[in-house]
């Protein structure tokens, strides 16, 4: 039985190569419009902040720090080097830099899940800034007594019990009269 030729110039292996090339092009989607970070933020910030303990942190870090510097970048133009240069250029406290890094990571991961961002997340290469332990100043008993004189009622009692027993707020308010 004779095989019918699909195209006079194409043989079977040429068709396989052509089919593989078409599949690669379909996966890379070169015709897909490049989405800027500012568009990602406007589309995904409302949904990304839902359910967060501090939703303002994510939105504020994007609007104040990330968008002014990187808002016009797309997945083609935003490289790991640009992300690192952005992070290095932040003259902020380490804790704040970590929050900005978290905001960038979070929203770009949401964009990947939504199919808007195909590239790897360039903020993944940025290392967390080392945060030193905060120095906490502990009040002296005289200072606590002076402060408690300004408080009144149940708050004064709660303040004194917390200081002299070391109980935390949750423990204090969970106590009942029969527990004492």
């Amino acid at each position: 039985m004779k095989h019918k030729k699909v195209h006079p110039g194409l043989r079977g292996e040429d068709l396989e190569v052509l089919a593989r090339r078409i599949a690669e092009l379909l996966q890379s989607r070169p015709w897909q419009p490049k989405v800027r970070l500012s568009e990602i933020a406007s589309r995904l910030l409302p949904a990304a902040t839902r359910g967060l303990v501090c939703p303002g942190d994510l939105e504020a870090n994007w609007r104040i720090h990330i968008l002014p510097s990187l808002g016009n970048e797309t997945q083609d133009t935003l490289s790991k080097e640009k992300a690192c240069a952005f992070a290095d250029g932040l003259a902020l406290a380490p804790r704040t830099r970590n929050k900005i890094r978290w905001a960038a990571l979070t929203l770009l991961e949401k964009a990947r899940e939504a199919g808007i961002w195909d590239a790897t997340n360039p903020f993944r290469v940025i290392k967390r800034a080392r945060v030193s332990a905060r120095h906490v100043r502990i009040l002296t008993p005289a200072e606590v007594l002076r402060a408690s004189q300004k408080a009144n009622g149940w708050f004064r009692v709660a303040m004194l019990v917390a200081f002299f027993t070391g109980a935390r707020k949750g423990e204090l308010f969970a106590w009942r009269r029969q527990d004492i």
Side-chain angles (χ1 to χ4, degrees), residues 49-107:
T49 56
R50 249 181 264 127
L52 291 177
V53 176
C54 299
D57 284 352
L58 180 66
E59 193 166 351
N61 284 324
W62 264 92
R63 298 207 189 287
I64 295 169
H65 300 290
I66 299 169
L67 288 179
S69 303
L70 301 173
N72 288 325
E73 299 290 337
T74 65
Q75 63 187 12
D76 291 341
T77 61
L78 183 59
S79 63
K80 294 175 183 178
E81 292 78 22
K82 278 188 184 177
C84 288
F86 164 74
D88 292 341
L90 294 172
L92 299 168
R95 198 175 303 274
T96 307
R97 290 182 63 203
N98 287 340
K99 285 182 181 179
I100 293 168
R101 174 188 169 272
W102 166 79
L105 276 170
T106 301
L107 205 60

Side-chain angles (χ1 to χ4, degrees), residues 78-139:
L78 183 59
S79 63
K80 294 175 183 178
E81 292 78 22
K82 278 188 184 177
C84 288
F86 164 74
D88 292 341
L90 294 172
L92 299 168
R95 198 175 303 274
T96 307
R97 290 182 63 203
N98 287 340
K99 285 182 181 179
I100 293 168
R101 174 188 169 272
W102 166 79
L105 276 170
T106 301
L107 205 60
L108 285 183
E109 287 303 317
K110 296 280 185 193
R112 281 187 65 135
E113 291 169 10
I116 300 171
W117 189 271
D118 292 337
T120 59
N121 193 335
F123 291 97
R124 210 168 265 299
V125 297
I126 299 172
K127 301 226 184 299
R128 287 182 52 116
R130 188 179 185 126
V131 178
S132 60
R134 290 183 178 176
H135 176 72
V136 179
R137 185 178 166 278
I138 298 173
L139 299 175

